[in-house]
Each structure stands twice: as C-alpha cells, then as structure tokens.
Amino acid sequence: MAAPEYLAPESIDALVAALAAHAPGEVRALAGGTDLIVQMRAGVRRPRRIVDLKRVPDFTRIALSDSEIRIGAAVPAAQIVEHPTLSGLIPGLVEAVDLIGSTQIQGRATLGGNLCNASPAADTVPALVALDARCRIVGPKGERELAVADVVTGPGATSLGAAETVCEFLVARPGAHSRDAYLRLIPRSEMDIAVAGAGVSLTLDAKGICTQARVALGAVGPTVLLVGAAADALVGSAVDDAALGAVQAACSAAARPIDDKRGTVSYRRTVAGVLTSRAARIAADRARQRRN
Ligand SMILES: Cc1cc2nc3c(=O)[nH]c(=O)nc-3n(C[C@H](O)[C@H](O)[C@H](O)COP(=O)(O)OP(=O)(O)OC[C@H]3O[C@@H](n4cnc5c(N)ncnc54)[C@H](O)[C@@H]3O)c2cc1C
C-alpha cells in the first residue's frame, strides 16, 4: 500500500477544503481508523489522501444543555463510556458504544466512524435511531442537519455528499421518565459482529403508561429498521408481558435478515424479537427508576 498523504486540519473550513480538493474516491475522512485502516491494509480502499477529523474542536467535544446532548462525531468511544453524565441519561447508547471491540478499539473508535462505515451490524446506529438522534453535517455547501436514520442508504453506502462529514450528533435530553436500552447477540463472547441488535427508547407517564417509544433493529436488514408496529404495541401499555409479547412478534416479523455463518434467517428473526422485548423491559425499568 503506497502511503497516502495525511492531513490534520484544525478548523471546519480547512477540513472541508482538504476533503474537497480530491475526487470522492481518492480522499477519505479518518476518525479512529478502526475500520478505515483495516480496509486500507486489505486493499479495499486506496485513498490518496486521508484527512484526520480529530483536531477539529466541534468533532471532539461532548456538550450538554438542559434540552440537548451533543456528542462530537470523532469523540473516542472510551470518552463516551467514561463520561460522568451520559450513562445515566442515555444508557442504551452508552452500552452500545461499550460493546464496540475491546478496550484498545474503544480508545480509537468513534460514533461518526461507526455510522459512516455503514455496516448493517454497526452497534451504535440502532441505539442512535431509537433516540431519534440527528447529525450536524458540514461540507462545501455549508451545514445541514439530518436524522441519523437517513444517513445510511445500504451496506457501505451513505447519503453524504462529496466532502461532507458528520460533525456531531444531537440527541434531545431525556426527561426523568424517558430512558433507552440496547442489546445485541454475537456468536462469541466478544469481538464479533451482531447476529441482531435492538435499540429501544421510551417514555412513561406518572402512572407508568408508555406515552412514546421508538424501536430500532440492527443487523437484520441492509440498514437499521425502525419498527413502528413495535412502538405502537408499547404506547398506551404499562410495558407488561402482553405488550412485550407484541413487541417481540412485531420485530420478528419486521426483520429482513440474511443467512450467513452467524445465523439463519429464522434464527435471526427469533433473536431480533427476543432481544427487542428484553431491551424494552430494561428501558421501562430504567424509566421507572431513574431521575435526572
Ligand atoms: C477488532 C475490532 C472489533 C470491532 N468490534 C465492533 C463491534 O463490536 N461493534 C461495532 O459496531 N463495530 C465494531 N468494529 C468496527 C469499528 O471499530 C467501528 O465501526 C468504529 O466505530 C469505527 O469508528 P472509527 O472512528 O474507527 O472509524 P474510521 O475507521 O476512522 O472510519 C470509518 C469510515 O467512516 C468514515 N468516517 C469516519 N468518521 C466520519 C465522519 N465523522 N463523517 C463522515 N465519514 C466518516 C471514514 O472515511 C471511513 O470510511 C470493530 C473493529 C475492530 C477492528
């Protein structure tokens, strides 16, 4: 592999200029490199230039306000996992981040890379979609916001334009009775790709009745699947066994998995349903117990 040119700009303007100077196939943004460097070593990607995102301040900060949580797209996973407040507010996203690879990988891997690598099995994407997260995108035409759910268009493909990058993720700060959860199943105890992943976020009222829910599945379709029928089964319920059974059935029915060495279609459908009902139960328990 011929060594590509390496640039590390320190502002958004310089970043966009560095990315825009080459044709899209010849330049690549670099965050933690835990996907990109592996792909370059395998010869799957051969960029002439790589542009490091980690010196641009908006990409590397975590900021919380009364209404919003902002997480830079190039913040390392370890920093998210160890943050003093995030695991209390958005435990599902933090547990998804904490499932990525190993301690070493988490020192490098980022949310932006996990999303933009566009693997159907990426762990943080269902958790982000369940939270209805949005991303701030910067590029040659300025800035725009896009739902995370609309970034990945298929395996390895995104809707980002030339020289566009995801700068940060925006999540509405959950109220006292809103919480999330993420579960995945892998064939080994660690360092493997999900057979299925399930993210759930929900809100309970003072009586414990669910007033809002989002349910997202990973690894059982070309992109993350938002399962409206499962959310409908939760809303209006006390998140009891009947509702969880309906969630399970809705998710098994919605899953569109492939057969591969990690599982058959039928196994993945079953796992997707079981994981989601368990994640919904965990999210509801958290919403009942936790206070901001
Ligand atoms: C041993 C090992 C174990 C792993 N385990 C898991 C796991 O359990 N779960 C899981 O989901 N993943 C896993 N991964 C995959 C990988 O670690 C994650 O996808 C990680 O989050 C990628 O982030 P990164 O910052 O390293 O991305 P990079 O490798 O830097 O980038 C990945 C891709 O996204 C692009 N990109 C990066 N950031 C941006 C941005 N902000 N805007 C636009 N494009 C961008 C890059 O150009 C590149 O194409 C594992 C990888 C390894 C090597």
Side-chain angles (χ1 to χ4, degrees):
M1 176 175 84
E5 178 189 20
Y6 169 83
L7 295 183
E10 297 183 4
S11 71
I12 289 175
D13 285 349
L15 167 69
V16 172
L19 288 167
H22 281 273
E26 297 187 343
V27 61
R28 211 74 212 167
L30 172 78
T34 61
D35 282 316
L36 181 60
I37 301 297
V38 176
Q39 291 161 2
M40 287 169 63
R41 287 219 167 111
V44 177
R45 291 199 190 278
R46 299 173 189 274
R48 287 173 55 194
R49 168 182 282 185
I50 53 178
V51 184
D52 199 331
L53 305 175
K54 294 190 300 300
R55 294 205 191 152
V56 183
D58 285 17
F59 282 72
T60 54
R61 67 176 182 191
I62 296 175
L64 281 80
S65 72
D66 289 345
S67 60
E68 194 173 58
I69 299 167
R70 302 173 86 99
I71 304 176
V75 172
Q79 217 174 307
I80 296 171
V81 172
E82 290 166 13
H83 190 276
T85 317
L86 290 181
S87 61
L89 285 173
I90 44 174
L93 178 59
V94 173
E95 63 204 353
V97 172
D98 201 15
L99 285 169
I100 296 177
S102 57
T103 302
Q104 292 88 337
I105 294 293
Q106 287 178 18
R108 302 287 310 170
T110 67
L111 281 182
N114 200 229
L115 175 66
C116 298
N117 187 56
S119 161
D123 278 305
T124 68
V125 186
L128 285 164
V129 170
L131 285 170
D132 204 8
R134 301 183 65 75
C135 42
R136 176 182 160 213
I137 294 169
V138 297
K141 294 178 187 159
E143 297 195 5
R144 64 188 176 110
E145 262 187 43
L146 188 65
V148 168
D150 293 331
V151 173
V152 178
T153 54
T158 72
S159 59
L160 295 178
E164 279 194 327
T165 51
V166 174
C167 174
E168 56 183 350
F169 293 88
L170 288 59
V171 178
R173 187 174 176 130
H177 296 290
S178 298
R179 283 297 178 272
D180 65 332
Y182 177 78
L183 291 174
R184 76 161 185 203
L185 182 82
I186 57 175
R188 302 190 302 179
S189 58
E190 57 182 18
M191 305 287 275
D192 206 340
I193 294 172
V195 164
V200 177
S201 80
L202 52 74
T203 303
L204 304 181
D205 68 13
K207 293 182 178 165
I209 302 300
C210 180
T211 57
Q212 176 280 136
R214 282 174 66 91
V215 173
L217 298 178
V220 289
T223 62
V224 165
L225 302 174
L226 189 62
V227 188
D232 291 346
L234 289 168
V235 173
S237 81
V239 195
D240 50 17
D241 287 347
L244 293 171
V247 166
Q248 181 168 338
C251 289
S252 289
R256 289 185 281 127
I258 55 166
D259 263 319
D260 72 5
K261 62 186 176 187
R262 292 188 176 79
T264 61
V265 166
S266 136
Y267 176 63
R268 285 189 140 111
R269 281 187 184 280
T270 303
V271 169
V274 171
L275 286 181
T276 315
S277 68
R278 289 181 187 171
R281 191 188 293 278
I282 293 168
D285 286 346
R286 287 173 172 163
R288 288 183 196 109
Q289 289 162 13
R290 303 299 286 265
R291 296 287 183 276
N292 283 330

